[in-house]
Amino acid sequence: MIIQAQIGACGTCINSHIYKGLDDVYFAAHSLAPERGILKKQKIEDMPTADIGIIDGPICYQGKEESIQIAEMVRERSKILLGLGTCAVGSQTIGGFITDDCSRLLPFFCPFLRTRHPKIENYVHFDYKLPVCSANQEGLRKIVEAVINKDTEYLKYFESPEATNVSVITESNLCMGCGTCGMACPTKAIDFPNQRPEINPEVCIKCGACFVQCPRSFFNTTTLTLRRFGQAGDPLLGYYQEAYSARTQNEDIQRLSQDGGIVTDLLCYLLEKNICDAAVVSVSRTGWDTIPEVVTTPEEVLKAAGTKYTVVPNLMGIKEAADQGYTNIAFVGVPCQIQGVAKTDAYPLGDRYYSSKINFIISIFCMENFLFRNLRSIVEGRTEVDMADVSKMGISKGRFWVRSADGNRFRVPVKHIKDYAQESCFYCLDFCGEHSDISVGGVGSPEGYSSVLVRSEKGKKVFSEFKKRIEHELISEEGMKTIHDLASIKKSTNSKTIERRKEKKERVTLFL
Ligand SMILES: Cc1cc2nc3c(=O)[nH]c(=O)nc-3n(C[C@H](O)[C@H](O)[C@H](O)COP(=O)(O)OP(=O)(O)OC[C@H]3O[C@@H](n4cnc5c(N)ncnc54)[C@H](O)[C@@H]3O)c2cc1C
Ligand code: SF4
Ligand code: SF4
Ligand code: SF4
């Protein structure tokens, strides 16, 4: 049984339709509040004890005593009380529509819009708080389900959440430029001019969605693995069912791709077989400056072949693809981007149903990445090749190499380029995209081949057909050991870096 209470709100957190089909829902509301879709106001005195109470909105300035009284009565009648929206459980920085100056947005709604209304959390105790305005209905449904199922691991962040935006992530150098916040933002207030999110204060409505959705605010690897695969995975590589060394047989792909061309060929296969209707890939503009792009044909997929050692806000590409009407999107990205996708799927609170449009997730392995200006410094400073003349670059056998347009190769020991990596990579524990359908990398297989980890049931089904058109064999024991060793180095080294941050009381990603 659920009590939904509205004691003063702008109405943007309207959530009545998550209750469709449920019998035991009671609606308690302030006398000034409107009816809520399928919910009709009921007398709170007559309500029995509920499993969950949900309160949204601030204390109404026009009827403060009545608001407080309803909040207290709902608290009394609810075993678990959930505060919803930044008006109810926000902070000074994130105020929601009503608690901040929102006359610009709702000029005729209330004469007290310019007044900072008191928050309900000052009057009643909430067990869980959801500081997101206009939370996605699917996300809210998952939270309610978790409360009913007593999934405390899934819910633990919401016991004491922060209500803020992603500027705190960028300011603390935790941001790795994945693009998740930009995808989550309902008002398109976030752009990525320099491979980092920039918030336009004129457009930001302080809803808090970007922060909750960011994989660097909180990320519980184990919980997400269990939710996605139903069981725990290998402690270093995550859950996987099969592992192969493989190579495409398509000569054009072989020529243009980084290793075995498996990512490019698999994307082509997904589009050709109509398993996906679009793919989000990383395409270089001039001189290796790279952007996310939505592609729909094998010819376009081929243009994205090859590794670009630079940060791309690829989740913005998912938003673009979904906004263009695609509903079965294939996504390829580095592990931190896969974390953004996985978190969006597990907690779809801010995004507008984008997670339901993603049909296939391919991760590429990743040890570290570079902001474009630093990649340029490595290439032009250490190899003296002009970025515009680079035809391919890669990392193998402990060396970063660059091939120039005239065919010459230049090599730099990897240890000399580590200092150029973005700082946030040193707080990353995922080497091979633990929440993807399929992960692909170069290490562990002979040169010109890819190492492939098949994870999900969907990944297994697709790969069992796809592998008929590629060269493949089970990965060697030695190959598996190499992958394990690299994942182990990444996890142990970066865990220590995170511990040092904790000691200095600096911000870290919670529950990682
Ligand atoms: C920053 C970075 C670091 C990496 N580090 C390692 C490593 O340490 N060990 C290892 O084994 N492999 C690493 N890889 C993966 C490796 O370079 C190959 O991408 C992978 O083996 C797939 O090869 P392929 O021939 O199947 O890919 P291809 O067929 O060439 O396709 C590559 C795909 O990767 C996507 N892509 C390219 N650049 C980026 C990018 N910057 N961000 C997101 N997607 C991108 C493209 O959209 C393309 O679809 C790294 C990749 C990146 C981007
Ligand atoms: S890590 Fe990703 S979601 Fe978080 S602030 Fe950076 S770009 Fe945005
Ligand atoms: S998601 Fe967009 S509107 Fe909401 S707080 Fe972040 S930047 Fe502002
Ligand atoms: S090391 Fe981690 S944070 Fe850095 S780009 Fe790779 S996956 Fe992202």
Side-chain angles (χ1 to χ4, degrees):
M1 196 208 120
I2 299 172
I3 299 176
Q4 163 71 56
Q6 185 191 6
I7 61 174
C10 65
T12 52
C13 35
I14 280 177
N15 48 21
S16 61
H17 83 243
I18 70 160
Y19 304 123
K20 255 188 196 146
L22 294 179
D23 294 332
D24 281 354
V25 181
Y26 293 80
F27 180 43
H30 193 283
S31 51
L32 292 170
E35 300 287 340
R36 280 288 197 87
I38 58 166
L39 298 174
K40 301 279 167 243
K41 286 187 211 173
Q42 286 153 298
K43 270 180 102 180
I44 191 163
E45 293 83 347
D46 301 337
M47 294 178 190
T49 302
D51 300 303
I52 311 174
I54 302 175
I55 303 184
D56 59 55
I59 298 292
C60 174
Y61 207 76
Q62 295 194 69
K64 192 172 169 187
E65 290 313 314
E66 187 190 342
S67 288
I68 296 169
Q69 198 189 10
I70 296 174
E72 286 173 349
M73 286 167 81
V74 174
R75 170 70 276 187
E76 246 171 55
R77 281 168 174 71
S78 307
K79 288 183 197 156
I80 298 287
L81 187 62
L82 179 66
L84 173 65
T86 59
C87 296
V89 291
S91 68
Q92 293 300 313
T93 44
I94 288 281
F97 292 110
I98 296 243
T99 42
D100 251 4
D101 169 14
C102 57
S103 53
R104 179 165 63 87
L105 292 157
L106 301 160
F108 310 111
F109 186 69
C110 164
F112 295 99
L113 280 173
R114 281 182 179 277
T115 315
R116 184 168 279 277
H117 294 234
K119 291 177 189 306
I120 315 166
E121 64 178 334
N122 299 339
Y123 296 88
V124 294
H125 166 73
F126 287 104
D127 299 288
Y128 297 110
K129 303 176 200 174
L130 217 64
V132 180
C133 273
S134 190
N136 181 342
Q137 311 286 331
E138 176 61 12
L140 188 55
R141 194 185 56 73
K142 286 193 175 184
I143 296 278
V144 169
E145 244 172 46
V147 172
I148 291 168
N149 296 332
K150 299 190 173 53
D151 189 347
T152 49
E153 275 301 305
Y154 175 82
L155 290 165
K156 69 181 174 186
Y157 172 73
F158 300 101
E159 286 170 19
S160 183
E162 256 183 286
T164 184
N165 63 37
V166 287
S167 54
V168 296
I169 301 289
T170 48
E171 281 157 16
S172 52
N173 288 334
L174 286 175
C175 173
M176 34 53 186
C178 64
T180 311
C181 51
M183 180 176 80
C185 177
T187 62
K188 299 192 173 158
I190 298 180
D191 206 358
F192 284 80
N194 295 304
Q195 298 170 297
R196 289 290 182 260
E198 236 176 68
I199 298 177
N200 179 349
E202 291 296 313
V203 186
C204 172
I205 54 167
K206 300 182 176 179
C207 71
C210 52
F211 181 77
V212 169
Q213 216 74 85
C214 168
R216 286 289 164 97
S217 57
F218 70 97
F219 192 89
N220 189 329
T221 303
T222 312
T223 304
L224 264 60
T225 301
L226 286 172
R227 282 181 86 88
R228 183 146 165 66
F229 303 114
Q231 52 194 300
D234 177 293
L236 293 171
L237 308 181
Y239 176 77
Y240 68 94
Q241 306 192 52
E242 297 166 359
Y244 297 94
S245 284
R247 182 169 79 145
T248 178
Q249 305 212 58
N250 179 311
E251 286 177 7
D252 286 336
I253 300 178
Q254 274 177 13
R255 193 166 40 81
L256 293 168
S257 62
Q258 191 68 22
D259 294 314
I262 291 302
V263 174
T264 299
D265 204 1
L266 181 55
L267 289 173
C268 292
Y269 175 83
L270 292 168
L271 293 173
E272 283 161 15
K273 298 288 173 198
N274 292 322
I275 298 166
C276 294
D277 53 5
V280 174
V281 293
S282 308
V283 174
S284 282
R285 295 182 288 192
T286 48
W288 293 81
D289 183 10
T290 307
I291 52 166
E293 204 157 287
V294 181
V295 295
T296 55
T297 64
E299 294 72 33
E300 290 174 326
V301 171
L302 200 58
K303 285 193 193 138
T307 299
K308 296 92 188 170
Y309 289 89
T310 194
V311 176
V312 196
N314 271 334
L315 276 91
M316 291 292 274
I318 297 174
K319 189 183 186 95
E320 198 186 315
D323 289 349
Q324 285 177 25
Y326 296 109
T327 51
N328 283 308
I329 301 163
F331 180 79
V332 51
V334 284
C336 57
Q337 296 171 339
I338 305 307
Q339 289 185 336
V341 174
K343 187 167 170 189
T344 296
D345 186 42
Y347 299 95
L349 290 161
D351 75 284
R352 295 298 176 263
Y353 305 98
Y354 292 125
S355 55
S356 63
K357 309 278 165 65
I358 303 164
N359 190 27
F360 205 86
I361 308 167
I362 304 171
S363 181
I364 47 183
F365 296 1
C366 179
M367 205 64 173
E368 69 262 304
N369 205 351
F370 307 88
L371 288 171
F372 185 67
R373 60 172 183 272
N374 288 357
L375 181 66
R376 182 193 288 276
S377 299
I378 298 170
V379 172
E380 297 186 349
R382 297 239 165 210
T383 72
E384 292 172 22
V385 180
D386 195 281
M387 275 302 267
D389 290 335
V390 175
S391 66
K392 194 169 179 180
M393 55 181 91
I395 296 178
S396 60
K397 299 188 179 122
R399 283 168 193 271
F400 173 74
W401 56 263
V402 167
R403 195 168 63 209
S404 60
D406 56 17
N408 287 325
R409 263 207 191 207
F410 300 83
R411 293 183 179 82
V412 185
V414 166
K415 61 178 184 235
H416 290 170
I417 66 167
K418 283 267 174 203
D419 288 348
Y420 293 87
Q422 58 177 348
E423 183 182 335
S424 50
C425 291
F426 302 118
Y427 313 125
C428 172
L429 303 182
D430 190 346
F431 174 62
C432 51
E434 297 180 25
H435 301 96
S436 65
D437 290 305
I438 285 183
S439 298
V440 185
V443 293
S445 289
E447 194 156 337
Y449 284 75
S450 299
S451 298
V452 182
L453 301 178
V454 181
R455 299 183 187 277
S456 65
E457 283 307 317
K458 191 193 286 174
K460 194 172 160 186
K461 189 164 168 236
V462 165
F463 201 77
S464 69
E465 281 302 310
F466 170 69
K467 74 183 182 196
K468 292 177 185 162
R469 76 187 216 180
I470 58 170
E471 263 180 65
H472 65 278
E473 61 181 21
L474 290 179
I475 202 162
S476 66
E477 258 180 53
E478 195 191 339
M480 247 4 252
K481 184 176 175 317
T482 311
I483 300 174
H484 265 110
D485 287 349
L486 272 181
S488 170
I489 290 169
K490 184 171 183 182
K491 275 200 202 289
S492 60
T493 312
N494 291 353
S495 295
K496 284 179 199 148
T497 325
I498 294 171
E499 281 311 310
R500 282 199 289 277
R501 265 184 93 98
K502 281 186 191 162
E503 280 161 22
K504 288 193 262 172
K505 305 230 176 315
E506 290 173 353
R507 178 180 287 277
V508 293
T509 305
L510 294 178
F511 319 133
L512 194 63

